[in-house]
């Protein structure tokens, strides 16, 4: 059978490699198409607005400047940037591209309930570009101090009132140096008469807190709103459920990420990171504690009766300890079959004083007592089974039963687990519109961080998701494109990871080698016996001269044997000449003239027999020659058995001839 399975597997692997290469090419094509679509979107924006972002991809950096444009050596393609402008109604927007904090107020107060050394909000803020993957001309707010309190705030263009319009809050964060412990969340400060941004601290009233926070290995994305009870007007924080995805990469990849919060008048909310949803729910059902309290609560004045029996099982009162139950028997006893090993040194201590130890020079026997050398293992015991008093080892006591306890039975007086009675909740209320929160009129950052260089940019507060998306396309979209262009390839990332963790090389080898080995093992089957094609091999040719000599010797021996046999046969079959003559004479004397005729016929038959024997001899010689020739040809073709048969036939004919 042909090795068509092997060729089929080779063809399959080739097709697989071709499909992978085509998939990579398709991914590149999709990426290019995505870039072109984003470029087209930006170009459409330019037609609609005068101050918008334009993106042009080039192979190398070229120096151009139009308006607020710049270039950077870290960017692998040219970026033309203009400060984005909202395309719709907004309550607040900030890009920091003017390089100042004129619109913002740094807090000058002290943090309550803290030591004086750390209570002051003295953390530094700065307006800078990104350290990596920067977009020329794009600036942002950077937290510059570590292990300090930071507070800064800015008023909205007008207060946001929760009525019939949705709320969309969006901004960018980049942990440029990673994050150990700290937050990057914002607070929407409530619209109150006493709001003073210079006194902004952790006690300042806020309506919503939103954004990333991390400490230790706990990665959070806060969405907290403060709900006011319609009964007593108390404020209580409500925490949304945790995100549905792993947030770790957003804190560790040192990229700029876009955080978006959408609140709708129907009490639904959605949290997005990089325009992808990570959590959604309802303000009525997916927050802790719930907005609406329960109708009934446990009666705080109710107490469990003294005779209330909560025991489901009790010891059997009728059970009696068996007479042979020994509670005093020890759990362990010495092994009675143990024997002290030979060579055990009973008189040698296990530890002795260290002979090399010296009393310290500053040792004061009056203060420190009598000095004693430290104990070390006895060197004599190293070659012996043991030293000191020998004690047999202990084993489990087969007679040990422990303290006797009565078996448990069902409690006939069991009343169940006691629960206090329920009463109507005096603080019960039902708020079906938690979306209608307190209005807010300022946005602020009040943070404590053990890591510096936290980057904030492109704040926007609006009621329209489309406006926020277009704003992100003109700002965050540029950063994403630059980061993607500067990102190393897959193989480079794998190599960098292996340089940091060399054990990954083993994983790579197994990941690549194992599938290849299994593919070869299962797709390249072993050759069966039917698939082999046997090659015709010429039989070995014996030495012609030796073979002829052997044949001559065998023929001579056979001729001698045949001659002896023929002589004996003639002697037994044909009568002697004297006897023949005597018989003829008797026949002649006993018979008349008819006998002479018979003698003549016998003579003629003898002559004919002699002629036939001569002809047969000649034919046998010719036949032997032909057979010899045929035997030689068959021997050349590899047939030994047939040649042997012909040899025997020839020898028989030669014997007959002889």
């Amino acid at each position: 059978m042909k090795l068509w399975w092997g060729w089929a597997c080779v063809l399959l692997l080739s097709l697989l490699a071709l499909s992978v290469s085509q998939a990579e090419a398709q991914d590149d094509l999709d990426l290019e198409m995505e870039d072109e679509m984003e470029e087209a979107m930006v170009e459409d924006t330019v037609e609609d607005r005068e101050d918008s972002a334009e993106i042009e991809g080039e192979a190398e950096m070229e120096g151009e400047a139009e308006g607020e444009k710049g270039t950077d050596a870290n960017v692998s393609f040219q970026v033309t940037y203009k400060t984005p402008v909202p395309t719709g109604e907004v309550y607040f927007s900030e890009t920091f591209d003017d390089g100042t904090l004129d619109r913002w107020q740094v807090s000058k107060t002290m943090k309550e309930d803290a030591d004086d050394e750390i209570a002051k909000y003295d953390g530094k803020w700065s307006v800078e570009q990104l350290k990596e993957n920067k977009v020329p001309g794009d600036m942002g707010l950077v937290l510059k101090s570590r292990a300090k309190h930071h507070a800064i705030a800015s008023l909205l263009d007008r207060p946001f009132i929760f009525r019939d319009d949705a709320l969309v809050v969006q901004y960018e964060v980049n942990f440029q140096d990673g994050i150990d412990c700290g937050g990057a969340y914002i607070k929407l400060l409530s619209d109150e008469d006493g709001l003073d941004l210079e006194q902004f601290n952790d006690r300042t009233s806020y309506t919503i807190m939103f954004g990333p926070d991390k400490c230790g290995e706990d990665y959070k994305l806060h969405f907290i709103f403060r709900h006011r009870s319609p009964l007593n007007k108390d404020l209580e924080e409500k925490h949304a459920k945790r995100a549905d995805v792993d947030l770790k990469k957003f804190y560790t990849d040192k990229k700029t990420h876009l955080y978006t919060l959408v609140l709708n008048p129907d009490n639904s909310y959605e949290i997005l990171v990089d325009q992808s949803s990570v959590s959604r729910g309802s303000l009525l059902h997916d927050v802790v504690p719930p907005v609406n309290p329960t109708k009934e609560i446990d009666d705080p004045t109710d107490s469990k009766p003294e005779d209330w029996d909560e025991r489901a099982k009790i010891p059997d009162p009728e059970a009696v300890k068996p007479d042979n139950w020994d509670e005093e028997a020890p759990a362990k006893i010495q092994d009675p079959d143990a024997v002290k090993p030979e060579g055990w040194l009973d008189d040698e201590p296990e530890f002795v004083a260290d002979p090399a130890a010296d009393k310290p020079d500053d040792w004061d026997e009056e203060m420190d007592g009598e000095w004693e050398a430290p104990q070390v293992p006895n060197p004599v015991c190293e070659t012996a089974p043991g030293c000191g008093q020998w004690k047999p080892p202990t084993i489990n006591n087969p007679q040990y039963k422990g303290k006797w306890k009565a078996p448990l039975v069902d409690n006939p007086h069991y009343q169940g687990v006691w629960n206090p009675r329920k009463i109507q909740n005096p603080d019960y209320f039902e708020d079906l519109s938690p979306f209608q929160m307190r209005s807010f009129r300022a946005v602020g950052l009040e943070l404590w961080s053990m890591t510096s260089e936290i980057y904030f940019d492109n704040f926007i507060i609006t009621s329209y998701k489309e406006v926020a998306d277009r704003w992100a396309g003109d700002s965050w979209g540029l950063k994403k494109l630059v980061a993607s262009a500067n990102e190393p390839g897959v193989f480079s990332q794998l190599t960098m990871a292996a340089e940091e963790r060399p054990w990954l090389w083993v994983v790579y080898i197994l990941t690549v080698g194992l599938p290849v080995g299994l593919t070869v093992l299962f797709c390249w089957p072993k050759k069966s016996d039917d698939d082999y094609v046997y090659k015709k091999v010429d039989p070995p040719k014996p030495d012609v001269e030796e073979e002829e000599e052997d044949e001559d010797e065998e023929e001579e021996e056979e001729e001698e044997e045949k001659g002896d046999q023929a002589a004996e046969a003639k002697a037994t079959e044909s009568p002697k000449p004297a006897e023949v003559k005597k018989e003829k004479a008797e026949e002649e004397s006993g018979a008349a003239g008819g006998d002479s005729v018979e003698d003549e016929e016998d003579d003629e038959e003898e002559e004919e027999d002699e002629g036939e024997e001569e002809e047969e001899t000649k034919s046998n010689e010719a036949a032997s020659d032909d057979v010899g020739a045929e035997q030689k040809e068959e021997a050349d073709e590899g047939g030994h058995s047939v040649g042997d048969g012909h040899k025997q036939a020839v020898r028989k004919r030669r014997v007959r001839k002889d």
Side-chain angles (χ1 to χ4, degrees):
M1 194 178 207
K2 303 294 184 180
L3 296 178
W4 63 275
W5 266 110
W7 292 110
C9 290
V10 172
L11 179 60
L12 180 61
L13 293 175
S14 302
L15 293 176
L16 181 61
L18 181 61
S19 62
V20 171
S21 62
Q22 289 180 351
E24 293 178 353
Q26 184 65 32
D27 292 341
D28 296 337
L29 181 60
D30 293 341
L31 182 59
E32 293 177 1
M33 293 178 65
E34 181 182 358
D35 295 342
E36 292 176 0
M37 291 176 65
E38 292 181 356
E39 292 178 4
M41 181 185 69
V42 175
E43 291 176 359
D44 292 340
T45 305
V46 174
E47 294 178 358
D48 295 337
R49 306 190 308 274
E50 182 178 359
D51 297 329
S52 62
E54 296 179 0
I55 308 172
E56 297 179 358
E58 298 290 343
E60 296 179 355
M61 195 67 191
E62 298 178 2
E64 293 184 11
E66 293 181 7
E68 295 184 31
K69 295 189 295 183
T71 59
D72 190 88
N74 295 330
V75 183
S76 60
F77 61 92
Q78 180 175 330
V79 174
T80 303
Y81 173 81
K82 288 186 178 180
T83 301
V85 176
T87 58
E89 183 180 0
V90 298
Y91 294 86
F92 180 81
S93 63
E94 178 62 83
T95 63
F96 302 101
D97 288 344
D98 58 0
T100 65
L101 293 174
D102 295 341
R103 188 177 179 180
W104 294 76
Q105 176 63 55
V106 178
S107 177
K108 299 179 181 179
T109 187
M110 301 281 288
K111 185 177 178 67
E112 299 181 9
D113 301 330
D115 295 338
D116 294 339
E117 297 179 357
I118 62 174
K120 190 175 182 180
Y121 285 91
D122 56 353
K124 302 299 181 182
W125 298 91
S126 177
V127 177
E128 301 175 358
Q129 287 188 329
L130 282 168
K131 296 169 63 176
E132 297 179 0
N133 301 321
K134 61 183 65 175
V135 177
D138 184 19
M139 310 289 283
L141 178 66
V142 180
L143 182 148
K144 300 297 293 183
S145 305
R146 61 184 305 272
K148 289 183 177 294
H149 292 286
H150 301 73
I152 190 171
S154 177
L155 294 174
L156 274 60
D157 297 338
R158 65 182 189 278
F160 183 90
I161 301 175
F162 292 89
R163 289 179 181 170
D164 300 328
D165 295 331
L167 171 65
V168 180
V169 181
Q170 183 173 276
Y171 69 107
E172 302 170 13
V173 177
N174 188 325
F175 298 102
Q176 300 184 97
D177 292 343
I179 182 71
D180 294 328
C181 184
Y185 46 81
I186 64 173
K187 291 181 177 181
L188 304 181
L189 306 182
S190 301
D191 185 7
E192 296 181 347
D193 295 337
L195 180 61
D196 185 1
L197 300 185
E198 288 188 355
Q199 302 299 316
F200 174 39
N201 59 17
D202 60 324
R203 300 295 181 90
T204 302
S205 179
Y206 69 89
T207 301
I208 291 176
M209 187 174 81
F210 168 66
D213 187 18
K214 186 256 183 182
C215 197
E217 291 300 319
D218 189 10
Y219 300 88
K220 298 180 181 179
L221 182 53
H222 289 299
F223 167 40
I224 303 172
F225 67 94
R226 303 181 75 186
H227 180 263
R228 185 185 295 275
S229 171
L231 292 180
N232 52 25
K233 305 304 179 182
D234 291 340
L235 291 173
E236 186 178 27
E237 291 184 352
K238 310 295 182 180
H239 296 251
K241 65 179 183 179
R242 298 181 69 93
D244 300 329
V245 300
D246 186 10
L247 302 174
K248 183 176 180 179
K249 64 178 181 179
F250 303 123
Y251 297 80
T252 57
D253 60 3
K254 299 182 180 180
K255 294 182 180 179
T256 302
H257 294 288
L258 184 70
Y259 295 88
T260 307
L261 171 65
V262 180
L263 290 179
N264 297 308
D266 62 355
N267 299 318
S268 64
Y269 71 87
E270 184 176 15
I271 301 174
L272 303 96
V273 179
D274 295 344
Q275 297 183 331
S276 297
S277 178
V278 298
S279 179
R280 61 177 63 191
S282 171
L283 300 178
L284 287 170
H285 309 293
D286 298 311
V287 296
V288 179
V291 171
N292 296 316
T294 58
K295 292 183 179 182
E296 294 183 341
I297 61 173
D298 295 336
D299 186 358
T301 62
D302 191 14
S303 60
K304 183 174 69 173
E306 295 180 357
D307 58 348
W308 190 276
D309 194 345
E310 292 183 337
R311 299 173 300 166
K313 299 282 187 179
I314 60 172
D316 187 359
E318 299 180 356
V320 180
K321 183 177 71 172
D323 296 336
N324 60 351
W325 192 285
D326 186 6
E327 294 183 349
E328 304 298 331
K332 297 283 187 178
I333 60 173
Q334 293 183 349
D335 186 2
D337 298 331
V339 179
K340 181 172 68 174
E342 295 183 2
W344 188 278
L345 305 178
D346 295 282
D347 299 332
E348 290 289 340
E350 187 176 358
F351 293 93
V352 296
D354 186 2
D358 296 328
K359 183 174 69 174
D361 297 336
D362 58 350
W363 187 272
D364 188 353
E365 293 188 355
E366 295 181 358
M367 297 292 296
D368 302 327
E370 184 180 357
W371 180 82
E372 294 181 359
Q375 299 289 307
V376 296
N378 191 346
V380 179
C381 300
E382 294 180 357
T383 58
C387 295
Q389 183 181 0
W390 179 82
K391 295 180 180 180
T394 59
I395 59 174
N396 294 327
N397 185 2
Q399 304 299 326
Y400 173 75
K401 295 183 179 180
K403 186 175 179 60
W404 181 84
K405 294 181 181 179
L408 298 178
V409 296
D410 293 335
N411 184 4
H413 305 292
Y414 175 66
Q415 296 177 270
V417 178
W418 181 86
N419 291 313
R421 63 175 175 267
K422 297 290 184 180
I423 62 172
Q424 293 294 324
N425 186 358
D427 297 326
Y428 172 75
F429 61 85
E430 186 177 22
D431 184 1
L432 300 179
S433 300
F435 171 77
Q436 296 180 357
M437 310 174 193
R438 291 188 303 163
S439 60
F440 60 90
R441 64 184 176 98
V443 57
L445 294 95
E446 190 268 322
L447 307 171
W448 163 271
S449 178
M450 295 299 297
T451 306
S452 60
E453 302 299 329
I454 302 177
Y455 178 92
F456 303 86
D457 199 6
N458 296 315
F459 292 85
I460 187 171
I461 299 175
T462 181
S463 295
Y464 306 99
K465 182 67 165 52
E466 296 79 7
V467 175
D469 290 342
R470 181 58 63 88
W471 173 272
D474 296 345
S475 54
W476 173 76
L478 291 175
K479 296 183 178 71
K480 181 181 178 182
L481 289 175
V482 173
S484 299
N486 294 336
E487 191 174 40
V490 176
F491 291 104
S492 300
Q493 294 180 13
L494 293 176
T495 303
M496 293 171 60
E499 290 178 355
E500 297 178 0
R501 294 173 288 275
W503 55 267
L504 285 176
W505 287 115
V506 179
V507 178
Y508 297 161
I509 294 173
L510 292 177
T511 303
V512 176
L514 187 60
V516 173
L518 292 176
T519 302
V520 173
L521 179 62
F522 290 105
C523 290
W524 204 286
K526 297 181 179 179
K527 294 190 292 184
S528 61
D529 296 338
D530 297 338
D531 293 337
Y532 283 98
V533 179
Y534 292 93
K535 182 179 178 182
K536 184 176 180 180
V537 180
D538 295 337
K541 297 181 179 180
D543 191 353
V544 178
E545 296 180 357
E546 294 179 356
E547 184 178 356
E548 292 178 354
E549 292 177 358
D550 295 339
E551 291 179 356
D552 293 341
E553 292 176 357
E554 292 176 357
E555 289 177 358
E556 291 177 358
E557 293 176 356
E558 291 178 356
E559 288 175 357
E560 292 177 356
E561 293 177 358
K562 295 296 182 179
D564 295 339
Q565 294 176 0
E568 294 175 357
K570 289 180 180 180
T572 57
E573 292 178 359
S574 61
K576 295 181 179 180
E579 295 177 352
V580 172
K581 290 180 180 180
K582 184 178 181 180
E583 290 176 358
K584 286 182 180 181
E586 291 176 354
E587 289 176 357
E588 289 176 357
S589 64
D595 294 336
S596 61
V597 176
E598 291 177 359
D599 293 335
E600 291 176 359
E601 292 176 357
D602 293 333
D603 295 335
E604 290 178 358
E605 289 176 0
E606 289 178 358
E607 291 176 359
E608 289 176 359
D609 293 335
E610 291 177 358
E612 289 176 359
E613 288 178 359
E614 291 178 359
E615 292 177 359
E616 185 178 359
T617 302
K618 293 180 180 180
S619 62
N620 288 338
E621 291 177 354
S624 63
D625 295 336
D626 296 337
V627 171
E630 292 176 358
Q631 180 181 359
K632 184 176 182 180
E633 291 177 358
E634 291 175 356
D636 294 338
E637 294 176 357
H640 294 284
S641 61
V642 178
D644 296 338
H646 284 296
K647 288 180 180 179
Q648 294 177 2
V650 171
R651 290 167 184 167
K652 290 180 180 180
R653 293 190 182 97
R654 288 181 179 176
V655 170
R656 287 185 62 187
K657 177 181 176 183
D658 296 338

